[in-house]
Amino acid sequence: MKKIAILASGSGSNAENIITYLRNKDADVSFVVYTNNPNAFVINRAEKLQERCVVFSKNEMQNGTLQNMFCEEEFDLIVLAGFLLKIPAEIIESFSQKIINIHPALLPKYGGKGMYGDNVHKAVCAAKEKESGITIHYVNENYDEGATIFQAKCEVLPSDSPEDVAQKVHTLEYEHFPKVIETLLW
Ligand code: GAR
C-alpha cells in the first residue's frame, strides 16, 4: 500500500483529480489531505471524497509538528498541489526526493516567490508569451527550483486572457499530474 500526502492551500481541484484518478485505477493507495488554510475549498472536496483532511498552522509547519505528523504517517510521496507556503528545510531533508510540486508555467520562467496561480498567467500574458504550460518538479529549499520531472506545453494566443491560459494549464495539469505520480510510485 502506497501512502500519499496531498497539500493544497485553495480550491484543491488537482487534489480531487489525483484522488479520483488513482481510485478509478484501483491503485493500492491511501491519501491524507493537508491544508494551511482553514477556509480552503479543498476541505470540502476531501469531505466529499471521504478522505482525511488535516488543517495545520504556519507555526505548526515551522516548529516541527507537521514534520512529526509526516514521519509518523510514513508517506511514500508528498504532493504539493496548489500549496503556497515554503516547505521547511527539515521536512525536505527527511523526505529527500519524495516531495513534488506542480507549477503552472514552464520553469525556470515565471517561478519564484509570489509566482502562483493567476499571478503566473497574468505575467505570461503581459509578456506576450506564445506558449505556457506545466512543470512538475522535485521540491528543494528554494521556490520552484528543484529538478524537473515533467513538462507539457500549451499555446498562448495573442487574444488569450489570463483566465484562458489558466484553463489551458488546468487541462494539462488534470491530464498529466496523476500519471506522473503513478509513474513515480509504481
Ligand atoms: C494550480 O494551477 C497549480 O499549478 C498552482 O495553483 C493552482 C491550484 O489549483 N500552483 C502554484 O501556483 C504553485 N506555485 P487547484 O487548487 O484547483 O488545484
Side-chain angles (χ1 to χ4, degrees), residues 7-11 34-37 40 56 58 61 79-87 101-104 112-120 143-144:
L7 277 63
S9 300
S11 165
Y34 290 86
T35 185
N36 61 302
N37 175 4
F56 62 90
K58 201 170 176 179
M61 193 167 100
V79 175
L80 311 188
F83 183 68
L84 302 184
L85 299 181
K86 199 167 177 181
I87 300 290
N101 178 48
I102 190 159
H103 187 77
K113 200 166 192 298
M115 275 294 168
Y116 57 86
D118 291 344
N119 292 351
V120 176
Y143 272 116
D144 304 325

Side-chain angles (χ1 to χ4, degrees), residues 71-86:
C71 290
E72 274 168 28
E73 298 278 0
E74 298 186 50
F75 289 117
D76 297 288
L77 196 66
I78 296 172
V79 175
L80 311 188
F83 183 68
L84 302 184
L85 299 181
K86 199 167 177 181

Side-chain angles (χ1 to χ4, degrees), residues 29-184:
V29 62
S30 69
F31 305 93
V32 184
V33 176
Y34 290 86
T35 185
N36 61 302
N37 175 4
N39 301 313
F41 191 66
V42 72
I43 298 170
N44 304 52
R45 294 188 195 264
E47 199 175 325
K48 185 185 76 180
L49 293 163
Q50 298 186 304
E51 296 291 354
R52 188 149 55 97
C53 184
V54 178
V55 181
F56 62 90
S57 64
K58 201 170 176 179
N59 189 35
E60 284 176 312
M61 193 167 100
Q62 283 157 353
N63 69 12
T65 307
L66 188 67
Q67 183 181 7
N68 291 342
M69 286 195 246
F70 285 173
C71 290
E72 274 168 28
E73 298 278 0
E74 298 186 50
F75 289 117
D76 297 288
L77 196 66
I78 296 172
V79 175
L80 311 188
F83 183 68
L84 302 184
L85 299 181
K86 199 167 177 181
I87 300 290
E90 305 76 57
I91 296 185
I92 293 170
E93 276 161 30
S94 311
F95 290 89
S96 170
Q97 300 291 95
K98 286 187 176 176
I99 311 179
I100 64 169
N101 178 48
I102 190 159
H103 187 77
L106 297 170
L107 291 174
K109 284 181 143 186
Y110 304 104
K113 200 166 192 298
M115 275 294 168
Y116 57 86
D118 291 344
N119 292 351
V120 176
H121 309 307
K122 283 179 191 158
V124 164
C125 288
K128 301 192 190 317
E129 293 284 357
K130 292 190 167 48
E131 61 181 20
S132 190
I134 59 169
T135 304
I136 298 167
H137 64 94
Y138 288 107
V139 172
N140 69 11
E141 53 291 335
N142 299 318
Y143 272 116
D144 304 325
E145 283 186 16
T148 297
I149 301 166
F150 177 88
Q151 287 189 312
K153 291 179 182 176
C154 60
E155 194 182 5
V156 177
L157 302 172
S159 57
D160 277 348
S161 66
E163 292 74 24
D164 294 327
V165 179
Q167 205 173 353
K168 291 178 184 182
V169 165
H170 267 307
T171 302
L172 290 176
E173 291 182 333
Y174 301 153
E175 181 184 350
H176 296 289
F177 203 13
K179 289 182 189 158
V180 169
I181 291 168
E182 196 177 17
T183 308
L184 290 174

